[in-house]
């Protein structure tokens, strides 16, 4: 079984195009697993025989079509299972497909020397524990007895580490649909250190997403915050909302909490992006009554602002903190 891991190089503003890109992948295989916000797994089990092309050739066709039809470049890794395909994609570059052959010797050679944190599913705490005992690379983890790994972690995690470090992957590609989402981004004119300006940008993002959701008569189930730094690295955090909502105050509160949880200390931030996920129609979604007059006033003002924006444009009414 050959699996492709395809990561589309989407900016947050264009992440809503993922469902169309998943449909593109569906032209090559009926088994496609969407991995929002920007990736997917494709099982090429029957596609190789049907199209008479190997994984590298099919990946090249996918790349060309994504670029021609949607203007989106992609990074692709191929391997005998989802785990190895993901790991191969991490070392791939746009325009080049990184392939891990299926024979055990090639798999062992690919895994040898890689840091233990490169293994999908290994978090920072587990990697730190293993490194403290000298198990800092996958070949060393593979050579360790399973019982030792289980004593250092847990019975389940130790068993999975023992198998995965040897290239044994029991996961399979599961067909699903891409979760509908909408996103907005705020780049700063220069790398920004001021937390006040960060929070102001978050409020602007929440206000835009809230207005967009209400205009489309939709609510979202979760929010994802992406922080891009001066060195081009990013941090992403997600939060499931207490209830589906399109209320700007609820969205901004969730965004502030994710930002505060990062504990940024004089971080040079280049851009902030906020993505609303799990979109659904507002009809049928329940709202918990709070009997809070401040909340009711905020929702009433929100409705007035929406009507003014619909008539006079999106900048007709903005929150006070954004007026300047």
């Amino acid at each position: 079984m050959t699996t492709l891991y395809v990561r589309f190089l989407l900016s947050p503003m264009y992440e809503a195009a993922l469902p169309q890109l998943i449909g593109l992948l569906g032209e090559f295989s009926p088994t496609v697993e969407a991995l929002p916000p920007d990736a997917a797994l494709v099982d090429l089990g029957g596609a190789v025989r049907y199209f008479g092309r190997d994984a590298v050739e099919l990946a090249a066709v996918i790349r060309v079509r994504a670029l021609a039809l949607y203007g989106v470049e992609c990074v692709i890794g191929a391997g005998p299972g989802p785990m190895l395909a993901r790991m191969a994609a991490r070392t791939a570059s746009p325009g080049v497909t990184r392939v891990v052959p299926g024979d055990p010797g090639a798999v062992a050679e690919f895994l040898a020397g890689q840091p233990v944190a490169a293994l999908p599913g290994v978090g920072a705490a587990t990697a730190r524990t293993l490194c403290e005992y000298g198990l800092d690379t996958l070949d060393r983890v593979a050579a360790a007895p399973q019982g030792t790994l289980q004593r250092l972690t847990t019975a389940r995690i130790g068993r999975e580490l023992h198998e995965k470090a040897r290239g044994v992957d029991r996961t399979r590609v599961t067909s699903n649909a891409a979760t509908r989402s909408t996103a907005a981004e705020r780049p700063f004119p220069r790398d920004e250190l001021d937390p006040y300006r960060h929070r102001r940008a978050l409020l602007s993002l929440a206000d835009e997403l809230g207005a967009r959701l209400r205009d489309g008569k939709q609510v979202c189930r979760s929010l994802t915050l992406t922080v891009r730094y001066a060195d081009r690295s990013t941090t992403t955090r997600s939060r499931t909302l207490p209830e589906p909502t399109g209320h700007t105050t609820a969205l901004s509160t969730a965004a502030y909490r994710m930002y505060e949880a990062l504990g940024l200390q004089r971080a040079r931030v280049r851009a902030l992006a906020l993505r609303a996920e799990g979109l659904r129609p507002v009809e049928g979604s329940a709202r918990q009554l709070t009997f809070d007059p401040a909340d009711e006033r905020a929702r009433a003002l929100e409705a007035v602002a929406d009507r003014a924006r619909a008539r006079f444009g999106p900048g007709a009414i903005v929150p006070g903190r954004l007026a300047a």
Side-chain angles (χ1 to χ4, degrees):
M1 178 186 70
T2 302
T3 302
L4 291 184
Y5 177 84
V6 184
R7 182 169 67 85
F8 299 104
L9 303 183
L10 297 169
S11 71
M13 288 295 291
Y14 296 97
E15 287 172 4
L18 184 61
Q20 287 79 15
L21 294 166
I22 297 301
L24 169 66
L25 298 178
E27 297 176 8
F28 296 87
S29 171
T31 310
V32 179
E33 181 177 350
L35 302 173
D38 59 3
L41 287 166
V42 187
D43 183 356
L44 295 181
V48 172
R49 292 189 300 272
Y50 180 82
F51 291 102
R53 298 173 180 266
D54 61 20
V56 175
E57 293 172 329
L58 289 174
V61 176
I62 289 171
R63 181 180 291 108
V64 169
R65 289 193 180 181
L67 189 59
L69 297 176
Y70 301 100
V72 175
E73 182 59 274
C74 53
V75 173
I76 303 178
M83 179 189 77
L84 292 170
R86 286 172 182 261
M87 296 180 70
R90 289 181 180 178
T91 59
S93 58
V96 178
T97 301
R98 179 69 188 274
V99 180
V100 181
D103 63 278
V107 171
E109 182 181 355
F110 172 74
L111 294 175
Q114 292 212 39
V116 67
L119 202 64
V122 175
T126 301
R128 185 164 53 249
T129 299
L130 293 172
C131 290
E132 288 174 355
Y133 289 88
L135 303 175
D136 55 345
T137 60
L138 293 181
D139 51 326
R140 292 179 177 178
V141 173
Q146 179 175 321
T148 300
L149 297 175
Q150 289 177 321
R151 285 193 296 273
L152 293 177
T153 55
T154 65
R156 180 184 62 82
I157 294 176
R159 184 179 63 255
E160 291 180 354
L161 282 171
H162 190 257
E163 292 180 344
K164 290 181 177 180
R166 286 172 162 78
V168 178
D169 182 15
R170 300 188 184 279
T171 61
R172 294 293 180 266
V173 181
T174 304
S175 298
N176 66 353
T179 302
R180 296 192 62 194
S181 64
T182 183
E185 184 177 15
R186 291 290 182 276
F188 293 105
R190 62 182 67 86
D191 298 334
E192 187 57 68
L193 293 168
D194 189 353
Y196 173 78
R197 293 185 181 275
H198 297 167
R199 292 175 62 90
R200 195 167 181 267
L202 290 175
L203 176 59
S204 175
L205 289 167
D207 185 57
E208 178 181 337
L209 289 182
R212 197 183 301 172
L213 290 172
R214 294 189 300 275
D215 183 59
K217 294 182 171 51
Q218 294 178 313
V219 292
C220 70
R221 192 69 188 87
S222 62
L223 277 182
T224 297
L225 169 66
T226 301
V227 183
R228 185 181 303 122
Y229 304 102
D231 61 358
R232 299 182 183 275
S233 64
T234 60
T235 299
T236 302
R237 291 291 183 272
S238 296
R239 180 180 292 265
T240 300
L241 301 172
E243 61 184 19
T245 185
H247 184 31
T248 295
T249 301
L251 298 176
S252 60
T253 299
Y256 291 156
R257 288 176 178 172
M258 286 188 287
Y259 171 80
E260 291 163 0
L262 294 175
L264 302 180
Q265 299 292 329
R266 292 188 60 78
R268 299 173 64 86
V269 176
R270 182 157 296 179
L272 293 168
L274 200 62
R275 184 176 67 257
E277 297 180 304
L279 305 190
R280 63 182 70 172
V282 70
E283 294 85 0
S285 61
R287 178 169 74 90
Q288 178 66 45
L289 297 178
T290 62
F291 300 103
D292 180 2
D295 181 71
E296 295 302 323
R297 284 197 298 270
R299 291 178 183 272
L301 288 172
E302 206 169 61
V304 173
D306 288 343
R307 290 195 294 270
R309 288 166 173 167
R311 183 172 181 179
F312 300 107
I317 295 182
V318 296
R321 276 181 289 178
L322 302 179

